[in-house]
């Protein structure tokens, strides 16, 4: 079932029920309009299920439908706009309009919702009960209620420090606080903060949670190098090393034509001949001596 309502009022609509409804200045109409150009009963909408027909009951005072002048009758459908003087009406399909409103609301909620950055602060102080504070792209921490992270600490400045995420990296900046901003125990004016660091604002300490630096790096795959195995020749033993020069020099000595062993052999033969002659002489002399006796 369709409805008709004022264009600028989404919450005051009239159901288009069979067989018809009337529109005009009179309070007896289903939809009352207040305009000098409107008659008591100026128009009617004939309803046949969801088939609508608009009839102008005052032809001398035209009605504008979607920019077209209507002095008699015309068909109506959802989203058609009807203008009479300063009054603007619109035909709506409640189901479709509810869906559009829900989508618009979801879009607004999505736009208002903070983007997830992956960075957060975890309170280390017992007074904060280990609360975790998700960080937006830009955050101000301090004592003032308008700060993104507002903490009721007496020694915290109203606007103590700023936390900003640039290209996925977290940076802290001290906003001229009275008691200082500390990174890993060292007072800083401005510094980059990494996951696992400790931030301290006055006496309130926080652990930093967020992506590691390695996530921003591309890992290069190592291609295995094919190693060609070359069979090594066995090493020569000490004995073979000692013999090798001797073997190498033997042909050289033979080629030189030296004959060191020839002379000793001849001397030995002569020596043995003399000994034999001496023994033979002794035997002959002994035989002669014995014969004389």
């Amino acid at each position: 079932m369709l409805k008709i309502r004022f264009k600028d009022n989404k919450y005051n609509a009239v159901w288009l029920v069979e067989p018809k409804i009337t529109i005009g200045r009179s309070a007896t109409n289903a939809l009352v309009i207040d305009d000098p150009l409107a008659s008591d009963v100026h128009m009617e909408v004939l309803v046949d299920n969801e088939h609508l027909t608009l009839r102008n009951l005052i032809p001398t005072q035209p009605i504008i439908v979607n920019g077209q002048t209507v002095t008699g009758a015309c068909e109506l459908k959802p989203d058609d706009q009807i203008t009479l003087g300063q009054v603007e009406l619109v035909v709506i399909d409640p189901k479709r309009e509810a869906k559009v409103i829900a989508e618009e609301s979801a879009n607004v909620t999505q736009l208002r919702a903070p983007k997830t950055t992956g960075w957060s602060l975890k309170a280390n102080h017992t007074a904060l009960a280990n609360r975790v504070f998700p960080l937006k792209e830009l955050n101000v921490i301090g004592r003032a209620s308008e700060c993104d992270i507002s903490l009721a600490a007496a020694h915290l400045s109203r606007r103590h420090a700023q936390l900003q995420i640039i290209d996925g990296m977290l940076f802290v900046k001290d906003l001229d606080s009275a008691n200082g901003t500390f990174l890993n125990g060292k007072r800083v004016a401005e510094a980059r903060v990494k996951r696992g660091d400790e931030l301290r604002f006055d006496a309130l300490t926080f652990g930093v949670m967020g992506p590691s630096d390695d996530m921003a790096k591309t890992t290069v795959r190592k291609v295995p190098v094919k190693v060609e195995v070359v069979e090594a020749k066995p090493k020569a033993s000490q004995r073979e090393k000692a013999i090798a020069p001797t073997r190498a020099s033997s042909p050289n000595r033979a080629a030189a034509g030296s004959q060191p062993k020839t002379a000793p052999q001849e001397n030995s033969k002569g020596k043995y001949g003399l000994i034999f002659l001496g023994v033979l002489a002794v035997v002959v002399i002994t035989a002669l001596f014995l014969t004389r006796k």
Side-chain angles (χ1 to χ4, degrees):
M1 188 178 292
L2 303 177
K3 286 184 176 184
I4 189 169
R5 62 169 174 79
F6 293 97
K7 185 178 180 179
D8 57 353
N9 186 351
K10 296 183 178 181
Y11 306 102
N12 187 13
V14 174
W15 288 103
L16 294 171
V17 295
E18 296 179 347
K20 68 178 181 180
I21 69 161
T22 58
I23 303 170
R25 296 181 66 179
S26 174
T28 59
N29 293 291
L31 183 61
V32 179
I33 59 176
D34 184 14
D35 190 271
L37 298 179
S39 301
D40 289 342
V41 182
H42 200 106
M43 67 188 92
E44 63 183 8
V45 180
L46 306 178
V47 182
D48 181 11
N49 194 6
E50 291 191 354
H51 184 266
L52 307 177
T53 303
L54 174 67
R55 291 180 58 196
N56 184 2
L57 303 177
I58 312 296
T60 57
Q61 185 58 53
I63 300 169
I64 308 299
V65 178
N66 297 330
Q68 301 295 322
T69 301
V70 177
T71 57
C74 70
E75 184 180 354
L76 290 179
K77 57 184 181 297
D79 299 328
D80 281 352
Q81 297 185 20
I82 306 164
T83 304
L84 177 59
Q86 300 298 317
V87 177
E88 292 182 328
L89 306 175
V90 62
V91 179
I92 63 169
D93 182 346
K95 293 180 181 179
R96 188 167 66 182
E97 187 175 61
K99 183 179 179 181
V100 171
I101 293 174
E103 290 176 352
E104 290 178 351
S105 178
N107 291 337
V108 170
T109 302
Q110 186 176 4
L111 290 173
R112 291 179 178 176
K115 296 181 180 179
T116 302
T117 63
W119 290 95
S120 58
L121 298 182
K122 182 178 180 181
N124 296 332
H125 201 282
T126 54
L128 297 176
N130 297 324
R131 286 179 59 189
V132 175
F133 300 89
L135 298 179
K136 303 179 295 182
E137 290 186 355
L138 183 63
N139 314 261
V140 175
I141 184 170
R143 196 176 72 252
S145 58
E146 63 267 18
C147 291
D148 301 291
I149 301 176
S150 179
L151 303 170
H155 299 289
L156 200 66
S157 297
R158 289 183 58 80
R159 289 171 57 86
H160 196 101
Q162 173 182 286
L163 294 164
Q164 187 173 10
I165 298 169
I166 303 174
D167 294 333
M169 296 180 290
L170 179 62
F171 296 87
V172 64
K173 181 180 180 181
D174 186 75
L175 300 178
D176 297 326
S177 64
N179 295 307
T181 297
F182 298 82
L183 175 61
N184 298 325
K186 181 181 179 180
R187 186 165 184 167
V188 294
E190 187 172 358
R192 183 187 171 192
V193 184
K194 298 181 181 180
R195 183 178 71 173
D197 286 348
E198 181 187 77
L199 276 175
R200 178 162 62 88
F201 311 103
D202 182 35
L204 300 177
T205 60
F206 299 84
V208 179
M209 298 187 296
S212 64
D213 289 348
D214 293 339
M215 293 181 67
K217 298 179 181 178
T218 303
T219 303
V220 179
R221 186 186 301 278
K222 294 182 178 180
V223 180
V225 179
K226 185 177 180 182
V227 180
E228 184 179 353
V229 179
V230 179
E231 186 177 354
K233 295 182 179 181
K235 295 182 178 180
S237 63
Q238 295 295 331
R239 183 177 179 183
E240 291 175 339
K241 289 181 179 179
I243 295 174
T246 305
R247 292 177 176 175
S249 60
S250 295
N252 295 333
R253 287 200 303 267
S258 59
Q259 298 177 356
K261 294 183 180 179
T262 305
Q265 288 178 356
E266 292 178 355
N267 293 336
S268 297
K269 291 179 180 180
K271 182 179 180 181
Y272 293 144
L274 293 174
I275 294 172
F276 176 75
L277 292 175
V279 172
L280 181 60
V282 171
V283 172
V284 171
I285 293 171
T286 303
L288 291 173
F289 177 77
L290 292 175
T291 304
R292 288 178 180 180
K293 285 182 177 182

